[in-house]
Amino acid sequence: LNVGSAAVSLIDQDRQWFKSRCHVNLTETPRDIAFCDHVVTRRDPLIVPDALEDETFRDNPLVVDGPRIRFYAGAPIYLQSGHCVGSLCVLDERPHLDFDDGKLRILEELASVVSEMIEARSARSQSAIAARVVESTPDAVLATNSSAEIVYWNEAAERMFGWAADEA
C-alpha cells in the first residue's frame, strides 16, 4: 500500500496496544488519543489522508509530537461474535491523498485475514485446554469417526478396557 508503517492495533478499556507492528516504535497508547478507537467506535474503516489538515486529529499528540502521523487508514477487526476489537492500520509520516477504494479493499481483506488468525489461535488454545482435561480425567474417553473407527482413546480407557490406544 506504499506506506511506511503498519500495525494490528487492539483496543481494551483504557488503551490501544499493538499486537503486531512494522516500523511502529510504540507498543501502546492511551485509548483516548488512538486513531484505532475511532475505527472501533464507528465500526467502519477510517481514512485520514492528512492528519494535520483533519479537524479531529490535527492536535492529537500522535500527530504533533511523536510519531508524527500524517496519514492513517484503518480497517476494523471483527470477531465471529460480532465484536470489533481493533484495526489493521497503515500509517505514514507523509500525507496520502491517493488512498483509493482499491487500496481500502485490500486493507479490509487483510483485516479479515487478521480476524481469522485471531479466531484460529483462540480455537487452538481451547482445543489444547480440552485435550489436557481429557488426558487428565480419570474417566475413559474415546472418540470415533463417521465410519465407527476409534480415533481417540485416553489412558483411562486403556486402563478400563485393557487395550492400548493403538490396539483399540
Side-chain angles (χ1 to χ4, degrees):
L1 298 173
N2 196 30
V3 295
S5 306
V8 173
S9 173
L10 302 178
I11 292 287
D12 66 21
Q13 184 176 353
D14 301 315
R15 68 187 172 125
Q16 160 188 247
W17 57 283
F18 299 102
K19 178 66 177 162
S20 181
R21 61 193 201 283
C22 180
H23 301 293
V24 174
N25 293 329
L26 301 170
T27 56
E28 65 180 64
T29 68
R31 183 173 178 165
D32 63 341
I33 65 168
F35 283 66
C36 178
D37 183 53
H38 293 267
V39 175
V40 171
T41 301
R42 294 164 29 126
R43 300 177 60 85
D44 257 334
L46 173 66
I47 300 171
V48 182
D50 187 348
L52 282 178
E53 299 296 323
D54 189 288
E55 187 176 307
T56 303
F57 297 103
R58 68 174 157 230
D59 296 323
N60 185 304
L62 300 172
V63 175
V64 295
D65 297 331
R68 298 194 181 276
I69 297 170
R70 286 291 297 274
F71 169 75
Y72 174 93
I77 298 171
Y78 289 101
L79 301 181
Q80 289 175 349
S81 65
H83 290 96
C84 182
V85 295
S87 71
L88 173 64
C89 60
V90 291
L91 325 158
D92 212 333
E93 294 177 346
R94 60 184 178 84
H96 284 257
L97 306 177
D98 61 343
F99 200 82
D100 59 22
D101 289 342
K103 291 179 180 179
L104 177 58
R105 275 193 302 281
I106 291 169
L107 189 64
E108 288 175 315
E109 288 173 18
L110 291 171
S112 178
V113 170
V114 169
S115 175
E116 290 169 10
M117 293 175 75
I118 291 170
E119 296 284 1
R121 180 177 180 168
S122 176
R124 282 192 309 274
S125 293
Q126 290 173 0
S127 294
I129 291 168
R132 285 193 297 270
V133 168
V134 168
E135 283 298 321
S136 64
T137 184
D139 299 322
V141 177
L142 60 108
T144 63
N145 63 17
S146 60
S147 300
E149 299 167 325
I150 295 172
V151 295
Y152 181 80
W153 184 274
N154 72 351
E155 287 181 24
E158 288 181 356
R159 286 189 302 276
M160 178 180 275
F161 297 107
W163 294 331
D166 59 341
E167 294 172 316

